């Protein structure tokens, strides 16, 4: 979805590459000062639409400098930039915490424009979290405050965000707010926002399946973006044009390919993987083998770059969390010292001036001592909560990487099979070996990451044909089984169940991967689906090494010590089954295992067929 979430800086966030280069060049002429911190924050938000990792880097740098200069507004602006980067990375809870802190700070400063912008951003995040009540509440507050501002173009941003995030609104309502946004942008001569507003109504038409009406408008926006040199708008418009023609692979490629070329040329890293995924899918539909290989190489390179960026982001975020916790401790320490200083001064002053009230001062000192003790306990509780929050953050970050294990494993297996399948040129073998090595290294990276809890209220369920889902899983892992000369068999019937497709795919894929890992060469692995009264039961049976009675109670625990190596030396880390149990239980189902050492294992998954 097109999103305008940004830090308000008096100018549009739709800055082009030249604008960013100019801002970076000016850094060299500014000393270590408040102006330097402001410039870092501005560059950080300009990078939001292009490279979220650079956005995060500049935000952290600005925050460190502002803290050293005791520049409160610079710290708040930096938190605003960091919150934008966290939102893009999917860390909604952390982004909201920072935005709430920014909201309080901007209100204390009397900065109404930034208050309105933060309210709008919080509304966008709550919309993505499917919390419509809070989203509407924050959007209304932002609207109301925006109307009170004079000499400010913030209302344009508020109106456009509202239209983009609410495509279910009637057409008259969308046109009304678009007209107000354009009038406000014209009033303040905000040309980038005027240009962007041209794309909002076509987005609305496409979202409501009115493609034929949208196409002429999209073409108009595309011509405008090219004539004005607005790279971000041109990329978004080309993608929207391609989406309208999704039933014609050649047409999709005609628009997504130049969009990728523009993104690569101008450093819009946020778009690269998304564009390549669509290009690869449609290139495969066209059937051009040479082009498929070329796009796959581009995808491999992009995945490696994204993997490196993810490692850097995790490292930067860990450092940021450590700094934030250290700051909390320092603030608590300073508060205690200040309290003690005032207490001592008060006691001394009262003792010198009012000797006659010694008993009164004694009682007062006891009361103040109790206050300090209560404050200490409160601070201790706060520290415990911060430590728990840090543990939760680590789990959330590391599950993202764990989700990459199976697709990266399949990628590595395919590369290995292609290396073994007949003679190849030296260049092909070098690229395939690079792909295989990159996959293996990526798998090692994700092994140490923690787990995010899956809750029932967070699941987006849909009707899913379980036969097709199982067939897809088996097909995806067929190459992995072939490496060990194993037979991977599917016995199932067509039955529809309301589940979250991606999460149930993860469960089945994890169980089949474990069966392959812990079964010997030449073994047979069966995946079976059975329809029962009100339920469906999925079984994954293997002829592997089995599980002892003592380990059965531990294999579904997070970070269990029961992780073992596979029959071919594959590594196991005890996270997969814990994740699977959380997903199944969030669906209201159950998962268990029947096994004995040396006799193979059977894993069962039962899901309800009810639509609720």
């Amino acid at each position: 979805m097109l999103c305008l979430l940004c830090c308000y800086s008096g100018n549009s966030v739709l800055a082009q590459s030249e604008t960013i280069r100019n801002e970076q060049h000016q850094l060299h002429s500014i000393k270590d000062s408040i102006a330097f911190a402001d410039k870092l924050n501005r560059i950080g938000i300009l990078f939001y639409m292009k490279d979220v990792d650079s956005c995060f880097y500049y935000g952290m740098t600005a925050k460190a400098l502002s803290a050293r200069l005791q520049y409160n507004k610079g710290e708040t602006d930096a938190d605003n930039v960091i919150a934008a980067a966290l939102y893009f990375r999917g860390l909604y809870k952390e982004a909201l915490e920072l935005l709430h802190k920014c909201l309080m700070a901007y209100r204390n400063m009397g900065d109404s424009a930034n208050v309105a912008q933060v309210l709008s951003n919080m509304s966008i995040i709550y919309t993505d979290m499917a919390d419509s009540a809070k989203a509407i509440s924050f959007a209304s507050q932002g609207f109301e405050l925006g109307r009170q501002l004079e000499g400010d173009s913030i209302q344009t941003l508020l109106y456009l965000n509202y239209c983009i995030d609410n495509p279910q609104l009637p057409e008259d309502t969308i046109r009304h707010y678009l007209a107000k946004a354009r009038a406000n942008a014209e009033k303040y001569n905000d040309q980038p926002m005027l240009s962007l507003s041209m794309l909002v109504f076509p987005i609305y038409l496409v979202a409501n399946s009115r493609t034929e009406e949208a196409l002429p408008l999209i073409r108009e926006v595309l011509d405008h973006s090219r004539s004005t040199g607005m790279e971000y708008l041109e990329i978004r418009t080309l993608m929207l044009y391609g989406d309208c023609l999704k039933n014609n692979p050649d047409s999709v490629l005609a628009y997504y390919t130049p969009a990728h070329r523009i993104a690569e040329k101008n450093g819009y890293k946020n778009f690269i993987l998304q564009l390549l995924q669509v290009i690869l899918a449609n290139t495969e539909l066209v059937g051009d083998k040479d082009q498929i290989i070329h796009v796959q190489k581009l995808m491999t390179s992009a995945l490696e770059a994204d993997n490196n960026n993810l490692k850097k982001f995790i490292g930067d975020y860990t450092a940021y969390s450590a700094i934030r916790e250290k700051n909390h401790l320092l603030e608590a320490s300073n508060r205690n010292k200040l309290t003690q200083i005032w207490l001592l001064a008060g006691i001394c002053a009262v003792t010198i001036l009012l000797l006659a009230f010694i008993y009164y001062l004694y009682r007062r000192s006891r009361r103040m001592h109790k206050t300090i003790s209560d404050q200490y306990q409160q601070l201790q509780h706060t520290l415990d909560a911060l430590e728990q929050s840090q543990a939760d953050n680590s789990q959330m970050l590391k599950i993202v990487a764990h989700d990459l294990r199976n697709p990266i494993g399949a990628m590595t297996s395919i590369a290995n099979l292609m290396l073994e399948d007949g003679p190849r040129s030296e260049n092909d073998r070098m690229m395939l070996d690079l792909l295989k090595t990159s996959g293996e290294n990526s798998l090692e990276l994700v092994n140490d990451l923690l787990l995010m809890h899956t809750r029932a209220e967070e699941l987006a369920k849909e009707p899913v044909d379980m036969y097709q889902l199982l067939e897809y899983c088996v097909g995806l892992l067929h190459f992995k089984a072939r490496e060990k000369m194993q037979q991977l068999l599917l016995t199932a019937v067509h039955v529809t169940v309301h589940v979250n497709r991606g999460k149930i795919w993860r469960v089945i894929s994890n169980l089949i991967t474990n069966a392959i890992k812990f079964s010997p060469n030449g073994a047979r692995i069966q995946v079976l689906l059975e329809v029962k009264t009100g339920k469906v039961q999925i079984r994954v049976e293997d002829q592997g090494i089995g599980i002892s009675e003592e380990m059965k109670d531990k294999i579904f625990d997070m970070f269990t010590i029961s992780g073992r190596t596979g029959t071919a030396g594959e590594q196991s880390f005890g996270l997969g089954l814990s994740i699977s149990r959380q997903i199944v239980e969030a669906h209201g189902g159950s998962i268990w295992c029947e096994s004995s050492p040396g006799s193979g294992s059977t894993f069962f998954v039962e899901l309800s067929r009810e639509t609720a």
Side-chain angles (χ1 to χ4, degrees), residues 310 314 394-395 397-402 444-451 559 575:
L310 181 59
I314 292 172
S394 297
Q395 288 182 350
L397 285 172
K398 295 193 175 184
I399 194 59
V400 173
H402 180 270
E444 291 179 6
L445 170 67
V446 303
N447 285 334
D448 295 327
L449 300 182
L450 299 175
L451 175 65
F559 307 114
L575 280 175

Side-chain angles (χ1 to χ4, degrees), residues 337-472:
K337 290 179 180 179
L338 185 61
T339 301
Q340 292 169 1
I341 291 172
W342 279 108
L343 176 60
L344 181 60
I347 292 174
C348 291
V350 172
T351 301
I352 295 172
L353 298 175
L354 303 172
L355 295 175
F357 296 98
I358 294 176
Y359 179 70
Y360 167 76
L361 292 175
Y362 170 72
R363 291 176 58 89
R364 183 184 178 191
S365 66
R366 290 192 62 181
R367 288 196 300 269
M368 296 187 73
H369 177 74
K370 183 178 183 303
T371 300
I372 294 172
S373 178
D374 292 343
Q375 289 178 347
Y376 174 78
Q377 292 179 2
Q378 183 178 1
L379 288 173
Q380 189 61 49
H381 291 320
T382 301
L383 288 175
D384 292 340
L386 285 172
E387 290 175 357
Q388 182 61 42
S389 174
Q390 177 65 20
D392 291 343
N393 292 342
S394 297
Q395 288 182 350
M396 208 175 306
L397 285 172
K398 295 193 175 184
I399 194 59
V400 173
H402 180 270
D403 289 345
L404 297 174
R405 288 186 65 183
N406 287 339
I408 294 177
M411 176 187 74
T412 307
S413 297
I414 293 173
N416 190 45
L417 287 173
M418 293 178 71
L419 282 168
E420 297 174 357
D421 185 21
R424 296 185 180 277
S425 69
E426 184 63 26
N427 185 55
D428 286 348
R429 294 190 65 82
M430 181 182 68
M431 294 302 295
L432 288 171
D433 189 66
L434 177 62
L435 179 62
K436 176 185 175 184
T437 303
S438 176
E440 291 172 346
N441 292 338
S442 297
L443 283 173
E444 291 179 6
L445 170 67
V446 303
N447 285 334
D448 295 327
L449 300 182
L450 299 175
L451 175 65
M452 176 178 66
H453 298 292
T454 300
R455 297 181 294 180
E457 59 268 23
E458 296 175 348
L459 293 174
K461 296 182 180 180
E462 60 177 306
V464 176
D465 187 325
M466 295 304 294
Y467 177 88
Q468 294 180 356
L469 181 62
L470 293 175
E471 185 181 44
Y472 176 73

Side-chain angles (χ1 to χ4, degrees), residues 6 8 13 52 73 111 113 125 130 144 176 202 221 228 299-300 365 370 439 447 485 488 512 516 553 567 574 606:
C6 66
Y8 183 75
V13 297
V52 69
K73 187 177 187 305
D111 189 345
I125 296 176
E144 180 61 30
H176 169 73
V221 179
T228 56
M299 178 67 81
T300 299
S365 66
K370 183 178 183 303
N447 285 334
M485 297 176 290
L488 185 55
I512 296 174
I516 295 171
D553 296 331
T567 57
E606 277 194 352

Side-chain angles (χ1 to χ4, degrees), residues 544-609:
I545 59 179
I547 303 171
S548 65
E549 287 296 326
E550 308 86 69
M551 292 178 62
K552 282 183 183 178
D553 296 331
K554 301 176 182 178
I555 58 176
F556 292 101
D557 294 336
M558 189 184 303
F559 307 114
T560 175
I561 61 173
S562 60
R564 300 174 294 173
T565 57
T567 57
E570 302 98 324
Q571 208 167 2
S572 176
F573 298 88
L575 280 175
L577 290 177
S578 174
I579 296 171
S580 298
R581 181 174 67 175
Q582 291 184 20
I583 293 172
V584 172
E585 290 179 352
H587 282 81
S590 57
I591 181 171
W592 71 94
C593 170
E594 295 180 0
S595 178
S596 58
S599 300
S601 304
T602 301
F603 281 83
F604 298 80
V605 175
E606 277 194 352
L607 298 170
S608 172
R609 296 185 64 188

Side-chain angles (χ1 to χ4, degrees), residues 104-337:
M104 297 298 101
Y106 284 137
R107 281 175 172 167
N108 291 335
M109 297 175 196
D111 189 345
S112 299
N114 268 322
V115 170
Q117 169 263 319
V118 171
L119 289 169
S120 176
N121 287 357
M122 295 176 75
S123 172
I124 292 171
I125 296 176
Y126 278 118
T127 297
D128 288 349
M129 295 173 67
D131 191 339
S132 57
K134 289 185 178 179
I136 293 172
S137 173
F138 282 102
S140 300
Q141 294 179 54
F143 266 31
E144 180 61 30
L145 182 58
R147 281 195 291 267
Q148 299 173 13
L149 298 175
E150 295 183 3
D152 207 310
S153 60
I154 188 65
Q155 269 197 317
T156 305
L157 175 68
L158 299 177
Y159 290 140
L160 293 182
N161 270 341
Y162 185 70
C163 293
I164 291 171
D165 287 330
N166 296 277
Q168 77 281 359
L169 293 173
E171 181 176 340
D172 290 343
T173 302
I174 295 292
R175 288 184 179 275
H176 169 73
Y177 283 116
L178 272 179
K180 297 186 73 171
R182 288 167 180 160
N184 206 56
E186 289 173 354
K187 179 180 178 181
Y188 300 105
N189 195 28
D190 192 342
Q191 294 301 321
M193 281 296 178
L194 279 172
S195 298
L196 183 64
S197 68
M198 297 173 62
L199 189 60
V200 174
F201 192 64
I203 291 174
Y204 168 78
L205 293 175
V206 173
N208 288 276
S209 303
R210 295 164 62 181
T211 305
E212 293 301 322
E213 298 177 56
L215 285 174
L217 298 177
I218 297 173
R219 168 52 66 181
E220 182 182 345
V221 179
L222 184 58
D223 292 340
H224 175 78
S225 66
R226 287 170 172 170
S227 65
T228 56
M230 296 188 66
E231 305 146 0
Y232 172 81
L233 185 60
E234 183 176 359
I235 294 171
R236 278 295 190 184
T237 307
L238 287 168
M239 293 170 66
L240 185 62
Y241 214 130
D243 293 340
C244 291
L245 305 173
K246 60 185 176 182
N247 294 326
N248 187 331
D250 287 321
S251 298
V252 173
L253 291 174
Y255 290 98
Y256 265 81
T257 301
H260 174 256
R261 188 163 52 248
I262 295 169
E264 282 280 10
K265 178 181 177 182
N266 295 285
Y268 284 84
K269 297 180 182 179
N270 295 346
F271 292 103
I272 300 299
L273 277 178
Q274 180 184 357
L275 290 166
L276 284 176
Q277 287 171 351
V278 176
I279 292 172
L280 180 58
N282 284 273
T283 303
E284 290 174 346
L285 291 175
V286 172
D288 186 338
K289 294 183 179 179
D290 291 338
Q291 189 63 19
I292 290 172
I293 293 173
H294 173 68
V295 177
Q296 285 176 338
K297 291 179 180 179
L298 293 177
M299 178 67 81
T300 299
S301 177
L303 285 171
E304 289 178 0
D306 188 65
N307 181 52
N308 290 332
N309 288 336
L310 181 59
K311 288 193 293 184
K312 184 178 182 300
F313 180 83
I314 292 172
D316 289 344
Y317 183 72
T318 301
Y320 165 74
S321 299
I323 292 172
R324 185 172 63 173
E325 182 175 355
K326 182 179 179 181
N327 288 339
H328 286 318
L329 291 173
L330 288 174
E331 289 174 3
S333 175
N334 289 336
R335 284 196 299 269
N336 276 339
K337 290 179 180 179

